[in-house]
Amino acid sequence: MSETQAPAPTSKLTPGLKGIKTIEDFDLKEKRVFIRVDFNVPQDKNGAITDDTRIRAAIPTIKYAMEKGAKIVLASHLGRPESRDDKQYSMEPVAARLGEILKADVMLIDDPTSDAPKGLLPGLRPNQLIMLENLRYEKGETKNSREFALQMAAYTDIYINDAFGASHRAHASIEALPQVVSNKGIGFLIKKEIEMLDVLLHEPKTPYMVILGGAKVSDKIPVIEAMIDKVDQFFVGGAMAYTFLQANNVAVGNSRVEKDKVSFAKEMIKRIEARGKKILLPIDHVIANDFLAPSKIETTNDATIPAGMMGLDIGPKTRELYRKELQKAKTVFWNGPMGVFERPEFAKGSFGVAETLSQLTEALTIVGGGDSAAAAEASGYAGQMSHISTGGGASLEYLQGDKLPGLEVLRNLRPSVQPTL
Ligand code: AMP
């Protein structure tokens, strides 16, 4: 972009979008628009898509571009293929599903480095679009290769990123490509994601409560540290609760504990309480003798777990305590399940949290992607949340203050320079 061009419009409400254009800022008619989407959908053993949420989440942007007369190229990664021979990672089922949803003809291009996209695009009819085969079939994708980017840029007039779930990765379709394209911006999905996460970062209504669970404390350390001053109350569940309980000298039996994080947990509890805030830990548990094949499942009376048993979900007293406290919230962020929700015996904690959030009609309730989104979905309450992020890793990185490469590359903060006469 030349120095004399006006800077990109800035969002008043959303600092995270400052200097970033949106798809609505471009005239798309007859333009070749490359839309990076996140169609990394879960599939069963036979390749059937088990959850098409991510495809549906990108529809508003795709439909908008179609209505405005764009010639569209869609591109995504799917899973982690080693090479092009890993046929189970083909975008074929995704193209078929998208075709059904849009009632359009989605043409799959095997080789994104070939002349095929360039040749096909000018002749596309209004209900036709192009989808590239799995970007990770190309070695250059994860290497953020400029050469691969230039090959894609050869058929790109306007680049739009709508792949929130992939925006924390410096890969060719996310970073190198927009580096070599001057007309670039975001789609409606990323816009909504950042608007929502910016409320959490900059203007959460209080009481602001954060529920953290899942497998590992270590994954959540940076986000806890980044949020500590803003959050009024933390709720801890999942396996990470046992590291915190051990920090409080509570016996946790065979439960999963990250020994090298116990001192961090101790310090965190102190720091949160020193600020006059609360961190709630489970006061009872659903426990079992084994993770994979439990033959003995019990509920404890209090926070202690007997030797030989492991905690696999929060117990009924904890569910009730968390429900009562969460009812006071005006803003809630939930990341990480409260137990091994994939098994019905250990799902009540996570589903209970989802039910409570669904009843907070006055509060902003945001679920941070990944397993918590899956737990919310499985609970049947997903539809009643204010927002479920499509990116687990990306939403955590954004909230912990990291810059997302996929957003930064689109930002233009240079002031406009008046030409000297
Ligand atoms: P994360 O990816 O960190 O959000 O972790 C999600 C995973 O943590 C899910 O697959 C859960 O089954 C697992 N998980 C939750 N609670 C426990 C627990 N108490 N013990 C072992 N794994 C758990």
Side-chain angles (χ1 to χ4, degrees), residues 15-47:
L17 295 180
K18 212 168 170 201
I20 296 179
K21 289 186 176 177
T22 78
I23 191 167
E24 291 173 296
D25 295 318
F26 299 97
D27 175 10
L28 306 182
K29 193 154 180 58
E30 298 295 323
K31 299 281 177 10
R32 297 168 303 174
V33 180
F34 185 109
I35 309 179
R36 175 50 160 106
V37 283
D38 178 10
F39 285 169
N40 185 27
V41 289
Q43 292 169 281
D44 67 16
K45 276 182 256 123
N46 305 316

Side-chain angles (χ1 to χ4, degrees), residues 42-341:
Q43 292 169 281
D44 67 16
K45 276 182 256 123
N46 305 316
I49 296 168
T50 52
D51 179 3
D52 66 2
T53 308
R54 284 183 161 165
I55 300 180
R56 292 183 182 277
I59 296 296
T61 299
I62 301 171
K63 269 203 171 146
Y64 177 86
M66 288 173 83
E67 281 159 18
K68 296 288 174 186
K71 309 280 189 193
I72 302 170
V73 178
L74 298 171
S76 175
H77 73 283
L78 180 61
R80 292 170 189 257
E82 292 286 321
S83 75
R84 196 169 278 281
D85 298 333
D86 286 346
K87 294 280 179 246
Q88 77 268 32
Y89 294 111
S90 166
M91 297 297 290
E92 240 177 81
V94 177
R97 175 65 60 91
L98 182 69
E100 280 163 31
I101 296 172
L102 288 173
K103 299 189 177 50
D105 183 7
V106 181
M107 294 188 270
L108 194 62
I109 301 281
D110 261 346
D111 183 358
T113 67
S114 70
D115 289 335
K118 208 172 183 175
L120 280 168
L121 277 163
L124 279 193
R125 292 198 302 273
N127 69 333
Q128 288 183 319
L129 19 88
I130 282 178
M131 183 185 286
L132 303 182
E133 232 331 340
N134 192 343
L135 289 169
R136 288 204 187 155
Y137 281 166
E138 295 300 318
K139 289 272 174 281
E141 171 62 4
T142 51
K143 292 194 175 128
N144 205 16
S145 149
R146 185 175 158 85
E147 192 192 340
F148 182 37
L150 286 168
Q151 285 163 329
M152 293 186 282
Y155 47 87
T156 301
D157 296 320
I158 298 169
Y159 169 89
I160 296 295
N161 183 356
D162 213 20
F164 180 68
S167 289
H168 58 315
R169 304 197 190 284
H171 289 173
S173 62
I174 296 289
E175 192 179 55
L177 173 57
Q179 265 165 358
V180 297
V181 174
S182 46
N183 292 310
K184 52 196 167 187
I186 52 169
F188 298 114
L189 172 63
I190 292 205
K191 186 164 177 270
K192 179 166 186 224
E193 294 270 12
I194 300 297
E195 280 168 357
M196 287 291 175
L197 296 177
D198 269 4
V199 176
L200 297 183
L201 276 177
H202 304 293
E203 48 185 349
K205 285 208 180 112
T206 57
Y208 173 21
M209 305 195 181
V210 168
I211 310 158
L212 292 173
K216 283 160 83 189
V217 181
S218 38
D219 290 349
K220 311 276 155 59
I221 288 177
V223 80
I224 300 177
E225 295 207 298
M227 288 176 154
I228 194 164
D229 284 317
K230 295 181 197 116
V231 174
D232 297 296
Q233 201 161 327
F234 285 95
F235 299 74
V236 182
M240 64 181 272
Y242 308 110
T243 304
F244 277 88
L245 285 170
Q246 190 157 91
N248 274 350
N249 299 316
V250 174
V252 295
N254 271 354
S255 305
R256 211 170 142 163
V257 169
E258 280 171 89
K259 292 207 172 64
D260 58 336
K261 296 294 173 297
V262 173
S263 60
F264 166 83
K266 216 176 245 174
E267 192 200 314
M268 249 334 106
I269 295 170
K270 262 203 225 142
R271 280 172 63 186
I272 291 168
E273 289 174 350
R275 285 165 168 75
K277 301 175 175 190
K278 279 203 242 173
I279 174 162
L280 298 188
L281 303 178
I283 52 172
D284 64 346
H285 317 273
V286 179
I287 58 173
N289 58 338
D290 190 58
F291 180 80
L292 291 175
S295 55
K296 199 164 112 190
I297 299 178
E298 291 169 2
T299 300
T300 61
N301 284 323
D302 57 29
T304 48
I305 297 178
M309 300 290 274
M310 58 172 70
L312 293 172
D313 194 11
I314 57 174
K317 289 180 196 161
T318 311
R319 291 203 303 267
E320 184 54 20
L321 172 70
Y322 286 12
R323 189 183 68 79
K324 273 206 179 126
E325 292 293 317
L326 284 166
Q327 276 172 344
K328 301 173 201 157
K330 287 280 180 299
T331 307
V332 183
F333 175 65
W334 175 24
N335 186 284
M338 297 291 96
V340 183
F341 76 97

